[in-house]
Amino acid sequence: MGEFGRLYEQQYAVALFNKMRYDIEGGGGPQNQLLHRKVPLKNKSIFSGALFQYLEENKKWRNRFLFIPDSYNINYYENKQAHDRGLHPKGTINCAGYRVLTSMEEYLELLNTSLPGVKAKVGSSPFLKCATQFPLILWHPYARHYYFCMVTEKEQQKWNAVFQDCVRHTNNGLPEECKVQTPTFTDAVRLYRQTHGHYGTWDMMCGMPPQILANLVMETLLPEMRDLITPKLKGKMHERQRNWMLISDAVYGLVQSQTQAQYEAVVQSCEAGRPPLETTIRTDMDQIITSKEHVCSKIRALVLPKAEKLLKVSIQPYISSILDALMEPTSRGFFEVRDLFFRELVDMSKNLLNDGNKEKLGEHMEKISMLAFHPVKMQSCYEKVETLSLEGLQQRFDVSSPSVFVQRAQILMREQMDDAVYTFEQLLHQSLEGQEGEDLCKTTQRCQDRVIKKFDYDSSTVRKKFFREALLQIFIPYMLKQLSPSCSELPRFQELIFEDFSRFILVENIFEEVVLHTVMKDIMMAVKEAAVQRRHNLYRDSIVLTNSDPNLHLLGENPPIDWAEEYGGGQEEVDGENAGDPEAQKRRRMKQVVSMIQIEGNASVLPNESCLEVPTVDNIPEEEAEVRSENPPWASLLTEAFLITTVAVSAAMAGKTHLIHGIYGYRDAVQVSWNK
């Protein structure tokens, strides 16, 4: 952390200079055609429902109620009533760095790599038996693992989509709008790893800065800790694995607390020293730029011949093949985003044609407005890009896994979907004055056509930028690793920099800029040729979409549209049942992006046993945002019957014959109710 802090202070001054220079000189690039929503999930939650969770404290499965707010952290409660009463959750899971596994075989395969020489048999569980055949496991290389089970495959698929979205969102923890702190942090981490011989993308660089730094520490600490502790672990294989996981989680928690404190201290120190740095930069901007260009020319003369030779032999032959590998699945994913957006609007138009009034429109738009954040609906888009493979190229260019590129593409897809939906909302809302019936459908169609045209243009721009960034992530670390040994005389160029400017001009940064510019020309040319071929519906750089909506971006400043409230959807429920109750109105506004897995009926919980209050497949509505207030009488009986069956099987397996007799008596009582 001391070494990282030194690098952070150095890179802070450089990032501040780059940011202020960019603000003065500006940067080109095509203007986005779609609007961008400022606070997408205001007054929204993602998902909630009941499932089974394995509790390591007593080694039992218990029914838990999970609630996922807009932060994408998973909160789990004793039951739904505890959440509704506003009690603190039993625990909270931050999913950064986790992987979601859907089978015990996958989990065992990863678990067997944690302790050398300690292997579990495939097909057996390490220290637990799943309550059902549909598990979901949250696995982390250092932190605690979490085990869940669902009753049906459909539930498993829904929860899997939600968990994957939580991981995807929390991994993307570095805010891009922080033009100084974010590049400072990423450059400091990258340079720290390069000084220790680690080049290339880093799969564990996910989450907020303290989590990333904790991963950085554990990357070195864990092997040493394993060598020290493994010989001292006693007991059966499963116990050793379980104890090792508990130790790793405890150490990881300690490391996170220390890295957070030290990171906050170094950030505060840099921010406190920012005003004098800004004054120096404003005063001496031209001299700093001139000095940097002078040093850059000297370094370029040394590095360029070696870099061009390496580029010609080891990079250029592979650019087109890697670009094809990136373009195919990414473009399929963006096409699926476009199709999903189109299908949702077509379905809405069909319904409006049958019953075309603004109240119905408000109901449909309430659902469409959160389409980008609906993990289940967006899953078909995300799956397209998961086929991305860099097989054969990973070893050559030290790319450990394509997961970094997959998650980045998925995040861009979600942003594009939300931009398209938000633009459609604003255009439609502006055009709705006095429209009814057939006119309403025509207005919807016109707005849809305009948005899809803008989506195609922005999609092309976003993908081309993504392809360029991905190729740089693959090639730059490889080139730096190959060129660094032959450029050992670089430190002497620091003498050419005036001492007053030495904080803003660093030789190692200039060296990397020279290498980047060397390969950038070939990458730009490859992407440009791909756009000319139009194989993946990419616009050529020379094509500029004329701004057909000169006042469109003014709409982006409007307040968010509450479709249900403005067009009367859902208002009757509050007026009739909870008029004047601000808490009820707040709960109504706090709607879920995905419909809740409903707990049907009021099944009684058997004492000292696991409880099963999970519905069947038919009782998992995809679209209903509100829980039904009244349930049919047979729903409770079905839940109780399922409860009896499951507990009876568990009791029989455990040999608890006295419990089985009690269960049969309870079953007879339920059967009487069923017959009635």
Side-chain angles (χ1 to χ4, degrees), residues 126-161:
F127 44 79
L128 75 157
K129 292 184 178 180
C130 292
T132 73
Q133 58 179 321
F134 304 109
L136 276 182
I137 301 170
L138 289 173
W139 176 89
H140 194 284
Y142 313 127
R144 173 186 172 183
H145 302 167
Y146 294 90
Y147 314 93
F148 302 96
C149 274
M150 297 81 201
V151 177
T152 67
E153 185 178 5
K154 185 176 180 180
E155 284 182 75
Q156 186 192 42
Q157 292 171 353
K158 179 179 276 191
W159 280 110
N160 181 39

mmCIF file of all heavy atoms in Angstrom, residues 126-161:
data_model
loop_
_atom_site.group_PDB
_atom_site.id
_atom_site.type_symbol
_atom_site.label_atom_id
_atom_site.label_comp_id
_atom_site.label_asym_id
_atom_site.label_seq_id
_atom_site.Cartn_x
_atom_site.Cartn_y
_atom_site.Cartn_z
ATOM 1 N N PRO A 126 -18.915 -30.676 -1.034
ATOM 2 C CA PRO A 126 -17.836 -30.582 -0.062
ATOM 3 C C PRO A 126 -18.305 -30.678 1.382
ATOM 4 O O PRO A 126 -17.795 -31.469 2.138
ATOM 5 C CB PRO A 126 -17.230 -29.206 -0.355
ATOM 6 C CG PRO A 126 -18.306 -28.442 -1.043
ATOM 7 C CD PRO A 126 -19.132 -29.452 -1.782
ATOM 8 N N PHE A 127 -19.276 -29.880 1.770
ATOM 9 C CA PHE A 127 -19.748 -29.954 3.153
ATOM 10 C C PHE A 127 -21.226 -29.638 3.257
ATOM 11 O O PHE A 127 -21.711 -29.236 4.298
ATOM 12 C CB PHE A 127 -18.949 -29.005 4.058
ATOM 13 C CG PHE A 127 -18.730 -27.654 3.469
ATOM 14 C CD1 PHE A 127 -19.712 -26.697 3.486
ATOM 15 C CD2 PHE A 127 -17.522 -27.356 2.879
ATOM 16 C CE1 PHE A 127 -19.513 -25.471 2.934
ATOM 17 C CE2 PHE A 127 -17.305 -26.107 2.324
ATOM 18 C CZ PHE A 127 -18.303 -25.161 2.351
ATOM 19 N N LEU A 128 -21.958 -29.779 2.164
ATOM 20 C CA LEU A 128 -23.398 -29.574 2.221
ATOM 21 C C LEU A 128 -24.068 -30.383 1.133
ATOM 22 O O LEU A 128 -23.445 -30.725 0.124
ATOM 23 C CB LEU A 128 -23.751 -28.089 2.034
ATOM 24 C CG LEU A 128 -23.649 -27.512 0.606
ATOM 25 C CD1 LEU A 128 -24.543 -26.290 0.491
ATOM 26 C CD2 LEU A 128 -22.236 -27.139 0.251
ATOM 27 N N LYS A 129 -25.329 -30.696 1.370
ATOM 28 C CA LYS A 129 -26.164 -31.340 0.357
ATOM 29 C C LYS A 129 -27.254 -30.355 -0.033
ATOM 30 O O LYS A 129 -27.926 -29.795 0.829
ATOM 31 C CB LYS A 129 -26.778 -32.631 0.911
ATOM 32 C CG LYS A 129 -25.747 -33.722 1.152
ATOM 33 C CD LYS A 129 -26.417 -35.011 1.619
ATOM 34 C CE LYS A 129 -25.370 -36.119 1.822
ATOM 35 N NZ LYS A 129 -25.984 -37.393 2.273
ATOM 36 N N CYS A 130 -27.386 -30.150 -1.324
ATOM 37 C CA CYS A 130 -28.346 -29.162 -1.804
ATOM 38 C C CYS A 130 -29.769 -29.589 -1.456
ATOM 39 O O CYS A 130 -30.124 -30.770 -1.543
ATOM 40 C CB CYS A 130 -28.202 -28.971 -3.311
ATOM 41 S SG CYS A 130 -26.653 -28.184 -3.773
ATOM 42 N N ALA A 131 -30.593 -28.601 -1.084
ATOM 43 C CA ALA A 131 -31.981 -28.888 -0.720
ATOM 44 C C ALA A 131 -32.808 -29.278 -1.935
ATOM 45 O O ALA A 131 -33.791 -30.003 -1.813
ATOM 46 C CB ALA A 131 -32.605 -27.666 -0.038
ATOM 47 N N THR A 132 -32.430 -28.783 -3.111
ATOM 48 C CA THR A 132 -33.131 -29.121 -4.348
ATOM 49 C C THR A 132 -32.090 -29.382 -5.431
ATOM 50 O O THR A 132 -30.883 -29.262 -5.197
ATOM 51 C CB THR A 132 -34.064 -27.970 -4.803
ATOM 52 O OG1 THR A 132 -33.258 -26.899 -5.319
ATOM 53 C CG2 THR A 132 -34.924 -27.462 -3.663
ATOM 54 N N GLN A 133 -32.565 -29.709 -6.618
ATOM 55 C CA GLN A 133 -31.643 -29.954 -7.730
ATOM 56 C C GLN A 133 -31.361 -28.694 -8.543
ATOM 57 O O GLN A 133 -30.774 -28.767 -9.623
ATOM 58 C CB GLN A 133 -32.226 -31.021 -8.657
ATOM 59 C CG GLN A 133 -33.600 -30.676 -9.230
ATOM 60 C CD GLN A 133 -34.138 -31.739 -10.156
ATOM 61 O OE1 GLN A 133 -33.374 -32.324 -10.932
ATOM 62 N NE2 GLN A 133 -35.431 -32.011 -10.075
ATOM 63 N N PHE A 134 -31.762 -27.515 -8.027
ATOM 64 C CA PHE A 134 -31.558 -26.258 -8.756
ATOM 65 C C PHE A 134 -30.791 -25.270 -7.876
ATOM 66 O O PHE A 134 -31.371 -24.332 -7.325
ATOM 67 C CB PHE A 134 -32.898 -25.660 -9.191
ATOM 68 C CG PHE A 134 -33.734 -26.601 -10.014
ATOM 69 C CD1 PHE A 134 -34.886 -27.169 -9.483
ATOM 70 C CD2 PHE A 134 -33.353 -26.938 -11.305
ATOM 71 C CE1 PHE A 134 -35.652 -28.031 -10.240
ATOM 72 C CE2 PHE A 134 -34.114 -27.808 -12.058
ATOM 73 C CZ PHE A 134 -35.262 -28.363 -11.533
ATOM 74 N N PRO A 135 -29.471 -25.466 -7.721
ATOM 75 C CA PRO A 135 -28.691 -24.572 -6.864
ATOM 76 C C PRO A 135 -28.187 -23.340 -7.616
ATOM 77 O O PRO A 135 -28.102 -23.324 -8.848
ATOM 78 C CB PRO A 135 -27.512 -25.454 -6.444
ATOM 79 C CG PRO A 135 -27.295 -26.335 -7.638
ATOM 80 C CD PRO A 135 -28.669 -26.589 -8.233
ATOM 81 N N LEU A 136 -27.860 -22.317 -6.861
ATOM 82 C CA LEU A 136 -27.086 -21.178 -7.345
ATOM 83 C C LEU A 136 -26.038 -20.875 -6.281
ATOM 84 O O LEU A 136 -26.369 -20.744 -5.093
ATOM 85 C CB LEU A 136 -27.965 -19.946 -7.559
ATOM 86 C CG LEU A 136 -28.726 -19.829 -8.887
ATOM 87 C CD1 LEU A 136 -29.491 -18.515 -8.928
ATOM 88 C CD2 LEU A 136 -27.798 -19.937 -10.081
ATOM 89 N N ILE A 137 -24.789 -20.784 -6.701
ATOM 90 C CA ILE A 137 -23.687 -20.574 -5.760
ATOM 91 C C ILE A 137 -22.921 -19.325 -6.175
ATOM 92 O O ILE A 137 -22.564 -19.166 -7.343
ATOM 93 C CB ILE A 137 -22.739 -21.788 -5.735
ATOM 94 C CG1 ILE A 137 -23.516 -23.049 -5.330
ATOM 95 C CG2 ILE A 137 -21.577 -21.547 -4.780
ATOM 96 C CD1 ILE A 137 -22.738 -24.332 -5.492
ATOM 97 N N LEU A 138 -22.697 -18.440 -5.220
ATOM 98 C CA LEU A 138 -21.861 -17.264 -5.447
ATOM 99 C C LEU A 138 -20.456 -17.591 -4.959
ATOM 100 O O LEU A 138 -20.231 -17.775 -3.757
ATOM 101 C CB LEU A 138 -22.425 -16.048 -4.705
ATOM 102 C CG LEU A 138 -23.721 -15.454 -5.263
ATOM 103 C CD1 LEU A 138 -24.253 -14.367 -4.336
ATOM 104 C CD2 LEU A 138 -23.494 -14.877 -6.652
ATOM 105 N N TRP A 139 -19.518 -17.662 -5.904
ATOM 106 C CA TRP A 139 -18.135 -18.059 -5.599
ATOM 107 C C TRP A 139 -17.199 -16.869 -5.737
ATOM 108 O O TRP A 139 -17.316 -16.066 -6.669
ATOM 109 C CB TRP A 139 -17.701 -19.162 -6.573
ATOM 110 C CG TRP A 139 -16.258 -19.573 -6.409
ATOM 111 C CD1 TRP A 139 -15.764 -20.532 -5.584
ATOM 112 C CD2 TRP A 139 -15.122 -19.020 -7.099
ATOM 113 N NE1 TRP A 139 -14.399 -20.613 -5.710
ATOM 114 C CE2 TRP A 139 -13.974 -19.694 -6.633
ATOM 115 C CE3 TRP A 139 -14.972 -18.018 -8.057
ATOM 116 C CZ2 TRP A 139 -12.694 -19.403 -7.101
ATOM 117 C CZ3 TRP A 139 -13.700 -17.712 -8.517
ATOM 118 C CH2 TRP A 139 -12.581 -18.411 -8.053
ATOM 119 N N HIS A 140 -16.264 -16.757 -4.793
ATOM 120 C CA HIS A 140 -15.259 -15.687 -4.813
ATOM 121 C C HIS A 140 -13.905 -16.319 -4.478
ATOM 122 O O HIS A 140 -13.840 -17.214 -3.633
ATOM 123 C CB HIS A 140 -15.616 -14.599 -3.791
ATOM 124 C CG HIS A 140 -14.858 -13.322 -3.954
ATOM 125 N ND1 HIS A 140 -13.546 -13.174 -3.574
ATOM 126 C CD2 HIS A 140 -15.224 -12.111 -4.482
ATOM 127 C CE1 HIS A 140 -13.138 -11.941 -3.843
ATOM 128 N NE2 HIS A 140 -14.138 -11.280 -4.393
ATOM 129 N N PRO A 141 -12.823 -15.876 -5.131
ATOM 130 C CA PRO A 141 -11.519 -16.506 -4.845
ATOM 131 C C PRO A 141 -11.010 -16.246 -3.439
ATOM 132 O O PRO A 141 -10.169 -17.009 -2.947
ATOM 133 C CB PRO A 141 -10.586 -15.872 -5.894
ATOM 134 C CG PRO A 141 -11.267 -14.620 -6.320
ATOM 135 C CD PRO A 141 -12.736 -14.884 -6.206
ATOM 136 N N TYR A 142 -11.486 -15.187 -2.766
ATOM 137 C CA TYR A 142 -10.981 -14.863 -1.433
ATOM 138 C C TYR A 142 -12.082 -14.770 -0.387
ATOM 139 O O TYR A 142 -11.861 -15.137 0.766
ATOM 140 C CB TYR A 142 -10.235 -13.511 -1.456
ATOM 141 C CG TYR A 142 -9.251 -13.376 -2.584
ATOM 142 C CD1 TYR A 142 -9.300 -12.284 -3.456
ATOM 143 C CD2 TYR A 142 -8.268 -14.333 -2.796
ATOM 144 C CE1 TYR A 142 -8.396 -12.149 -4.493
ATOM 145 C CE2 TYR A 142 -7.364 -14.208 -3.837
ATOM 146 C CZ TYR A 142 -7.435 -13.114 -4.688
ATOM 147 O OH TYR A 142 -6.545 -12.993 -5.721
ATOM 148 N N ALA A 143 -13.258 -14.273 -0.761
ATOM 149 C CA ALA A 143 -14.306 -13.989 0.213
ATOM 150 C C ALA A 143 -15.214 -15.203 0.424
ATOM 151 O O ALA A 143 -15.078 -16.240 -0.234
ATOM 152 C CB ALA A 143 -15.129 -12.780 -0.235
ATOM 153 N N ARG A 144 -16.168 -15.034 1.323
ATOM 154 C CA ARG A 144 -17.122 -16.087 1.681
ATOM 155 C C ARG A 144 -17.969 -16.485 0.472
ATOM 156 O O ARG A 144 -18.294 -15.666 -0.374
ATOM 157 C CB ARG A 144 -18.030 -15.556 2.793
ATOM 158 C CG ARG A 144 -19.186 -16.467 3.155
ATOM 159 C CD ARG A 144 -20.109 -15.796 4.162
ATOM 160 N NE ARG A 144 -21.321 -16.578 4.388
ATOM 161 C CZ ARG A 144 -22.318 -16.187 5.187
ATOM 162 N NH1 ARG A 144 -22.242 -15.044 5.831
ATOM 163 N NH2 ARG A 144 -23.381 -16.958 5.340
ATOM 164 N N HIS A 145 -18.310 -17.760 0.417
ATOM 165 C CA HIS A 145 -19.202 -18.257 -0.630
ATOM 166 C C HIS A 145 -20.635 -18.299 -0.087
ATOM 167 O O HIS A 145 -20.858 -18.527 1.108
ATOM 168 C CB HIS A 145 -18.779 -19.664 -1.075
ATOM 169 C CG HIS A 145 -17.369 -19.718 -1.586
ATOM 170 N ND1 HIS A 145 -16.689 -20.889 -1.798
ATOM 171 C CD2 HIS A 145 -16.503 -18.717 -1.936
ATOM 172 C CE1 HIS A 145 -15.478 -20.626 -2.249
ATOM 173 N NE2 HIS A 145 -15.343 -19.317 -2.328
ATOM 174 N N TYR A 146 -21.607 -18.119 -0.995
ATOM 175 C CA TYR A 146 -23.021 -18.135 -0.608
ATOM 176 C C TYR A 146 -23.743 -19.201 -1.426
ATOM 177 O O TYR A 146 -23.520 -19.322 -2.636
ATOM 178 C CB TYR A 146 -23.664 -16.769 -0.841
ATOM 179 C CG TYR A 146 -23.112 -15.681 0.053
ATOM 180 C CD1 TYR A 146 -22.015 -14.918 -0.342
ATOM 181 C CD2 TYR A 146 -23.675 -15.422 1.301
ATOM 182 C CE1 TYR A 146 -21.499 -13.921 0.474
ATOM 183 C CE2 TYR A 146 -23.165 -14.428 2.125
ATOM 184 C CZ TYR A 146 -22.075 -13.684 1.711
ATOM 185 O OH TYR A 146 -21.565 -12.705 2.521
ATOM 186 N N TYR A 147 -24.616 -19.962 -0.741
ATOM 187 C CA TYR A 147 -25.296 -21.095 -1.368
ATOM 188 C C TYR A 147 -26.811 -20.884 -1.310
ATOM 189 O O TYR A 147 -27.373 -20.609 -0.247
ATOM 190 C CB TYR A 147 -24.935 -22.398 -0.640
ATOM 191 C CG TYR A 147 -23.454 -22.548 -0.369
ATOM 192 C CD1 TYR A 147 -22.907 -22.118 0.842
ATOM 193 C CD2 TYR A 147 -22.605 -23.095 -1.322
ATOM 194 C CE1 TYR A 147 -21.555 -22.234 1.103
ATOM 195 C CE2 TYR A 147 -21.246 -23.222 -1.075
ATOM 196 C CZ TYR A 147 -20.724 -22.791 0.135
ATOM 197 O OH TYR A 147 -19.378 -22.896 0.372
ATOM 198 N N PHE A 148 -27.452 -21.007 -2.473
ATOM 199 C CA PHE A 148 -28.902 -20.857 -2.562
ATOM 200 C C PHE A 148 -29.476 -22.012 -3.368
ATOM 201 O O PHE A 148 -28.779 -22.626 -4.188
ATOM 202 C CB PHE A 148 -29.277 -19.530 -3.238
ATOM 203 C CG PHE A 148 -28.726 -18.311 -2.547
ATOM 204 C CD1 PHE A 148 -27.542 -17.729 -2.982
ATOM 205 C CD2 PHE A 148 -29.385 -17.752 -1.470
ATOM 206 C CE1 PHE A 148 -27.027 -16.618 -2.351
ATOM 207 C CE2 PHE A 148 -28.876 -16.628 -0.826
ATOM 208 C CZ PHE A 148 -27.688 -16.064 -1.271
ATOM 209 N N CYS A 149 -30.766 -22.295 -3.125
ATOM 210 C CA CYS A 149 -31.473 -23.319 -3.885
ATOM 211 C C CYS A 149 -32.871 -22.820 -4.239
ATOM 212 O O CYS A 149 -33.501 -22.097 -3.469
ATOM 213 C CB CYS A 149 -31.591 -24.626 -3.095
ATOM 214 S SG CYS A 149 -30.151 -25.692 -3.271
ATOM 215 N N MET A 150 -33.335 -23.237 -5.409
ATOM 216 C CA MET A 150 -34.683 -22.908 -5.863
ATOM 217 C C MET A 150 -35.454 -24.202 -6.094
ATOM 218 O O MET A 150 -34.865 -25.265 -6.273
ATOM 219 C CB MET A 150 -34.656 -22.099 -7.171
ATOM 220 C CG MET A 150 -33.974 -20.757 -7.035
ATOM 221 S SD MET A 150 -32.182 -20.925 -7.135
ATOM 222 C CE MET A 150 -31.678 -19.407 -6.333
ATOM 223 N N VAL A 151 -36.762 -24.076 -6.140
ATOM 224 C CA VAL A 151 -37.599 -25.267 -6.273
ATOM 225 C C VAL A 151 -37.773 -25.666 -7.729
ATOM 226 O O VAL A 151 -37.894 -26.845 -8.044
ATOM 227 C CB VAL A 151 -38.975 -25.025 -5.609
ATOM 228 C CG1 VAL A 151 -39.899 -26.220 -5.806
ATOM 229 C CG2 VAL A 151 -38.785 -24.740 -4.124
ATOM 230 N N THR A 152 -37.769 -24.707 -8.644
ATOM 231 C CA THR A 152 -38.014 -25.015 -10.049
ATOM 232 C C THR A 152 -36.895 -24.465 -10.914
ATOM 233 O O THR A 152 -36.144 -23.565 -10.517
ATOM 234 C CB THR A 152 -39.341 -24.403 -10.534
ATOM 235 O OG1 THR A 152 -39.212 -22.966 -10.533
ATOM 236 C CG2 THR A 152 -40.496 -24.826 -9.652
ATOM 237 N N GLU A 153 -36.782 -24.992 -12.114
ATOM 238 C CA GLU A 153 -35.770 -24.527 -13.062
ATOM 239 C C GLU A 153 -36.043 -23.090 -13.496
ATOM 240 O O GLU A 153 -35.119 -22.304 -13.713
ATOM 241 C CB GLU A 153 -35.734 -25.448 -14.278
ATOM 242 C CG GLU A 153 -34.627 -25.114 -15.264
ATOM 243 C CD GLU A 153 -34.578 -26.074 -16.432
ATOM 244 O OE1 GLU A 153 -35.471 -26.945 -16.533
ATOM 245 O OE2 GLU A 153 -33.646 -25.954 -17.247
ATOM 246 N N LYS A 154 -37.328 -22.743 -13.609
ATOM 247 C CA LYS A 154 -37.676 -21.384 -14.017
ATOM 248 C C LYS A 154 -37.220 -20.369 -12.972
ATOM 249 O O LYS A 154 -36.698 -19.300 -13.311
ATOM 250 C CB LYS A 154 -39.186 -21.270 -14.233
ATOM 251 C CG LYS A 154 -39.622 -19.916 -14.774
ATOM 252 C CD LYS A 154 -41.112 -19.885 -15.059
ATOM 253 C CE LYS A 154 -41.528 -18.521 -15.603
ATOM 254 N NZ LYS A 154 -42.971 -18.454 -15.882
ATOM 255 N N GLU A 155 -37.400 -20.703 -11.696
ATOM 256 C CA GLU A 155 -36.898 -19.829 -10.638
ATOM 257 C C GLU A 155 -35.394 -19.697 -10.710
ATOM 258 O O GLU A 155 -34.832 -18.610 -10.559
ATOM 259 C CB GLU A 155 -37.278 -20.399 -9.276
ATOM 260 C CG GLU A 155 -38.712 -20.203 -8.875
ATOM 261 C CD GLU A 155 -38.935 -20.774 -7.491
ATOM 262 O OE1 GLU A 155 -38.504 -20.127 -6.524
ATOM 263 O OE2 GLU A 155 -39.504 -21.864 -7.388
ATOM 264 N N GLN A 156 -34.713 -20.825 -10.937
ATOM 265 C CA GLN A 156 -33.254 -20.799 -11.027
ATOM 266 C C GLN A 156 -32.788 -19.879 -12.152
ATOM 267 O O GLN A 156 -31.842 -19.099 -11.991
ATOM 268 C CB GLN A 156 -32.712 -22.214 -11.256
ATOM 269 C CG GLN A 156 -31.191 -22.293 -11.225
ATOM 270 C CD GLN A 156 -30.685 -23.633 -11.737
ATOM 271 O OE1 GLN A 156 -31.187 -24.166 -12.719
ATOM 272 N NE2 GLN A 156 -29.686 -24.180 -11.065
ATOM 273 N N GLN A 157 -33.457 -19.946 -13.302
ATOM 274 C CA GLN A 157 -33.080 -19.096 -14.430
ATOM 275 C C GLN A 157 -33.293 -17.625 -14.107
ATOM 276 O O GLN A 157 -32.464 -16.776 -14.450
ATOM 277 C CB GLN A 157 -33.889 -19.503 -15.673
ATOM 278 C CG GLN A 157 -33.538 -20.874 -16.219
ATOM 279 C CD GLN A 157 -34.495 -21.337 -17.294
ATOM 280 O OE1 GLN A 157 -35.519 -20.696 -17.561
ATOM 281 N NE2 GLN A 157 -34.189 -22.468 -17.924
ATOM 282 N N LYS A 158 -34.410 -17.329 -13.440
ATOM 283 C CA LYS A 158 -34.689 -15.933 -13.105
ATOM 284 C C LYS A 158 -33.671 -15.409 -12.103
ATOM 285 O O LYS A 158 -33.087 -14.334 -12.307
ATOM 286 C CB LYS A 158 -36.110 -15.796 -12.556
ATOM 287 C CG LYS A 158 -36.470 -14.371 -12.155
ATOM 288 C CD LYS A 158 -37.898 -14.262 -11.633
ATOM 289 C CE LYS A 158 -38.895 -14.122 -12.759
ATOM 290 N NZ LYS A 158 -40.249 -13.747 -12.268
ATOM 291 N N TRP A 159 -33.433 -16.156 -11.030
ATOM 292 C CA TRP A 159 -32.463 -15.710 -10.029
ATOM 293 C C TRP A 159 -31.058 -15.651 -10.623
ATOM 294 O O TRP A 159 -30.266 -14.768 -10.264
ATOM 295 C CB TRP A 159 -32.476 -16.650 -8.821
ATOM 296 C CG TRP A 159 -33.596 -16.415 -7.845
ATOM 297 C CD1 TRP A 159 -34.672 -17.206 -7.616
ATOM 298 C CD2 TRP A 159 -33.750 -15.290 -6.972
ATOM 299 N NE1 TRP A 159 -35.488 -16.657 -6.664
ATOM 300 C CE2 TRP A 159 -34.940 -15.478 -6.245
ATOM 301 C CE3 TRP A 159 -32.993 -14.146 -6.746
ATOM 302 C CZ2 TRP A 159 -35.388 -14.564 -5.300
ATOM 303 C CZ3 TRP A 159 -33.441 -13.228 -5.801
ATOM 304 C CH2 TRP A 159 -34.625 -13.442 -5.087
ATOM 305 N N ASN A 160 -30.717 -16.576 -11.514
ATOM 306 C CA ASN A 160 -29.403 -16.556 -12.146
ATOM 307 C C ASN A 160 -29.219 -15.267 -12.942
ATOM 308 O O ASN A 160 -28.162 -14.625 -12.881
ATOM 309 C CB ASN A 160 -29.250 -17.771 -13.066
ATOM 310 C CG ASN A 160 -27.891 -17.821 -13.736
ATOM 311 O OD1 ASN A 160 -26.869 -17.513 -13.131
ATOM 312 N ND2 ASN A 160 -27.865 -18.199 -14.994
ATOM 313 N N ALA A 161 -30.250 -14.868 -13.705
ATOM 314 C CA ALA A 161 -30.171 -13.622 -14.474
ATOM 315 C C ALA A 161 -29.994 -12.428 -13.543
ATOM 316 O O ALA A 161 -29.218 -11.505 -13.831
ATOM 317 C CB ALA A 161 -31.423 -13.462 -15.335
#
